[in-house]
């Protein structure tokens, strides 16, 4: 049962949750991915939450079957993680529309809680690995997964940065061409001047 608990939590909080965050952060920047990115994000996060609930449940069961054995930090992080995830999922029900005046506040809340969940979940997975003391290859495998996800995020960050920069550059070039070469009227901004005659 320890292994099931570990696998459920590692897959849900440690892999699917960060993957869903990467999708929301980067894939939405590609115009062709709209609205598919949103459904992929929700699918990853809800799948992670459902598996996380199962992992949390097995953790509670393990705790009740092991009187006198407590892992206070792991348990505390697990309760905090589950609580934040429950609040985050519940917040979907009150998500304002894109043009609503409160949407920017909701987005800020959603990002902060989401990144908090990621940090706590990764810390708690390492805490759980220390408790279970599996073969070192499992810890290395999880570190490899984290490095892969971080590398993917970094690559997408660079691609999105170049996309935004080229879009701004194209917008600036378009603005320049609509205002003439050096200004708004003609070549020098003052319109064409006729030579003065004496």
């Amino acid at each position: 049962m320890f292994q099931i608990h570990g696998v459920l939590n590692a897959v849900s909080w440690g892999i699917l949750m960060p993957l869903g965050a990467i999708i929301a952060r980067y894939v939405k920047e590609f115009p062709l991915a709209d609205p598919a990115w949103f459904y992929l994000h929700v699918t990853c996060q809800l799948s992670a939450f459902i598996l996380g609930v199962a992992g949390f449940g097995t953790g509670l069961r393990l705790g009740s079957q092991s009187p006198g054995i407590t892992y206070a930090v792991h348990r505390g992080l697990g309760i905090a993680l589950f609580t934040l995830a429950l609040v985050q999922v519940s917040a979907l029900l009150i998500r304002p529309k894109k043009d609503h005046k409160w949407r920017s506040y909701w987005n800020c809340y959603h990002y902060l809680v989401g990144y908090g969940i990621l940090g706590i979940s990764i810390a708690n997975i390492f805490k759980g690995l220390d408790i279970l003391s599996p073969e070192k290859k499992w810890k290395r495998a999880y570190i490899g997964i984290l490095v892969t996800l971080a590398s993917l995020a970094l690559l997408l960050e660079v691609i999105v940065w170049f996309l935004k920069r080229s879009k701004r550059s194209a917008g600036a070039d378009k603005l320049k061409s609509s205002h003439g070469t050096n200004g708004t009227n003609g070549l020098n901004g003052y319109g064409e001047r006729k030579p003065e005659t004496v």
Side-chain angles (χ1 to χ4, degrees):
M1 192 155 194
F2 283 111
Q3 289 81 4
I4 293 170
H5 173 69
V7 168
L8 284 171
N9 287 311
V11 170
S12 62
W13 306 115
I15 298 171
L16 288 174
M17 198 65 77
L19 186 60
I22 288 170
I23 290 168
R25 170 73 178 93
Y26 301 108
V27 179
K28 74 176 177 184
E29 298 296 334
F30 298 92
L32 292 175
D34 196 23
W37 74 265
F38 177 75
Y39 297 110
L40 286 170
H41 169 67
V42 170
T43 300
C44 266
Q45 303 309 68
L46 283 179
S47 300
F49 181 72
I50 291 166
L51 289 174
V53 168
F56 185 72
T58 58
L60 292 176
R61 178 124 171 102
L62 285 168
S64 69
Q65 291 176 345
S66 310
I69 301 173
T70 57
Y71 300 102
V73 174
H74 184 64
R75 183 181 61 206
L77 288 173
I79 290 169
L81 179 60
F82 181 74
T83 303
L84 285 174
L86 190 58
V87 169
Q88 186 80 318
V89 169
S90 301
L92 287 175
L93 302 173
I94 59 166
R95 183 174 62 123
K97 295 185 187 226
K98 283 185 181 181
D99 57 350
H100 193 277
K101 66 180 181 177
W102 293 103
R103 181 61 181 256
S104 61
Y105 298 113
W106 187 92
N107 285 343
C108 184
Y109 149 81
H110 188 64
Y111 298 145
L112 289 174
V113 173
Y115 286 121
I117 288 170
L118 290 179
I120 293 170
S121 64
I122 291 168
N124 210 24
I125 287 167
F126 281 110
K127 207 66 172 144
L129 285 168
D130 289 343
I131 292 167
L132 289 175
S133 299
E135 294 177 38
K136 288 185 179 181
K137 67 179 180 181
W138 293 109
K139 196 172 203 174
R140 286 189 198 123
Y142 185 60
I143 290 170
I145 289 167
L146 287 180
V147 167
T148 302
L149 289 171
S151 300
L152 176 63
L154 182 62
L155 175 66
L156 288 169
E157 184 72 39
V158 170
I159 291 169
V160 166
W161 182 80
F162 275 112
L163 283 174
K164 286 182 176 181
R165 186 172 176 186
S166 65
K167 191 185 288 185
R168 277 194 303 264
S169 177
D173 289 345
K174 189 175 180 181
L175 186 63
K176 266 187 193 175
S177 67
S178 69
H179 288 299
T181 307
N182 289 327
T184 56
N185 292 323
L187 296 176
N188 62 6
Y190 297 105
E192 188 177 327
R193 286 190 171 173
K194 295 184 179 177
E196 291 184 23
T197 56
V198 182

